[in-house]
């Protein structure tokens, strides 16, 4: 029963991260020196997600604000597409000020949404660096009736 419920929650999970500085991706070998230099000059913020257990860039935006707007649009589409409540966690990699801004904006935009806050742990943080921000959502397990 529990295992089945966890699988159902996992099927509803969306995970999106925005890297603030490409230098860390260059240091870890995920990005070439030239791409990192040009990307930082142009203020490129890649939007990352997990696919098949790997971190994958799915989109590039010019600023953190635009990257957040892109992720927020994905969340809005998910909210519109599902017939159950979602729980969102706003994750930050040593960026509590931006986390507070995202939280306030999401609460204003989606007042019925359950919103939690957390910090990026070292397992993900080592790959994406400081300043990373993320949204994770899934079916709200507290409001789920079986």
């Amino acid at each position: 029963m529990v295992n089945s419920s966890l699988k159902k929650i996992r099927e509803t999970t969306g995970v999106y991260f925005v890297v603030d500085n490409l230098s860390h991706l260059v240091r870890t070998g995920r990005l070439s020196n030239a791409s990192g230099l040009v990307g930082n000059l142009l203020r490129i913020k890649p939007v990352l997600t997990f696919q098949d257990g790997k971190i994958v860039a799915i989109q590039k935006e010019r600023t953190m604000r635009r990257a957040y707007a892109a992720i927020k649009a994905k969340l809005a589409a998910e909210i519109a597409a599902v017939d159950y409540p979602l729980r969102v966690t706003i994750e930050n990699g040593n960026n509590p000020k931006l986390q507070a801004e995202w939280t306030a904006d999401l609460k204003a935009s989606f007042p019925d949404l359950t919103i939690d806050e957390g910090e990026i742990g070292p397992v993900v943080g080592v790959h994406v660096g400081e300043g990373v921000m993320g949204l994770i959502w899934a079916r709200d397990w507290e409001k789920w009736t079986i």
Side-chain angles (χ1 to χ4, degrees), residues 93-106:
N94 199 21
N95 201 345
K97 181 181 175 201
L98 190 56
Q99 183 181 43
E101 291 174 16
W102 285 24
T103 300
D105 181 64
L106 288 181

Side-chain angles (χ1 to χ4, degrees), residues 21 28 52 54 62 74 81 84 88 120 122 137 139-140:
N21 186 328
T28 60
D52 301 321
K54 296 178 183 174
R62 289 288 302 267
K74 291 178 188 311
Y84 49 80
V88 173
I120 301 288
W137 61 78
R139 185 175 190 153
D140 191 338

Side-chain angles (χ1 to χ4, degrees), residues 21-75:
N21 186 328
L22 300 178
S23 299
H24 197 77
L25 295 175
V26 171
R27 278 196 309 265
T28 60
R30 297 188 185 289
L31 197 60
S32 72
N33 285 336
S35 294
L37 178 65
V38 171
N40 278 333
L41 287 173
L42 295 176
R43 297 177 19 180
I44 297 294
K45 308 295 182 198
V47 177
L48 309 172
T49 191
F50 291 102
Q51 291 178 354
D52 301 321
K54 296 178 183 174
I55 298 173
V56 179
I58 59 166
Q59 193 169 339
K60 297 174 191 166
E61 294 295 337
R62 289 288 302 267
T63 64
M64 183 64 85
R65 184 177 306 256
R66 287 183 181 176
Y68 168 67
I71 295 173
K72 183 180 173 184
K74 291 178 188 311
L75 173 61

Side-chain angles (χ1 to χ4, degrees), residues 84-130:
Y84 49 80
L86 292 176
R87 174 179 292 264
V88 173
T89 303
I90 302 169
E91 298 284 342
N92 87 84
N94 199 21
N95 201 345
K97 181 181 175 201
L98 190 56
Q99 183 181 43
E101 291 174 16
W102 285 24
T103 300
D105 181 64
L106 288 181
K107 284 182 179 180
S109 299
F110 309 106
D112 296 331
L113 194 62
T114 302
I115 300 174
D116 297 323
E117 293 182 333
E119 293 184 12
I120 301 288
V123 172
V124 175
V126 74
H127 298 286
V128 293
E130 188 175 44

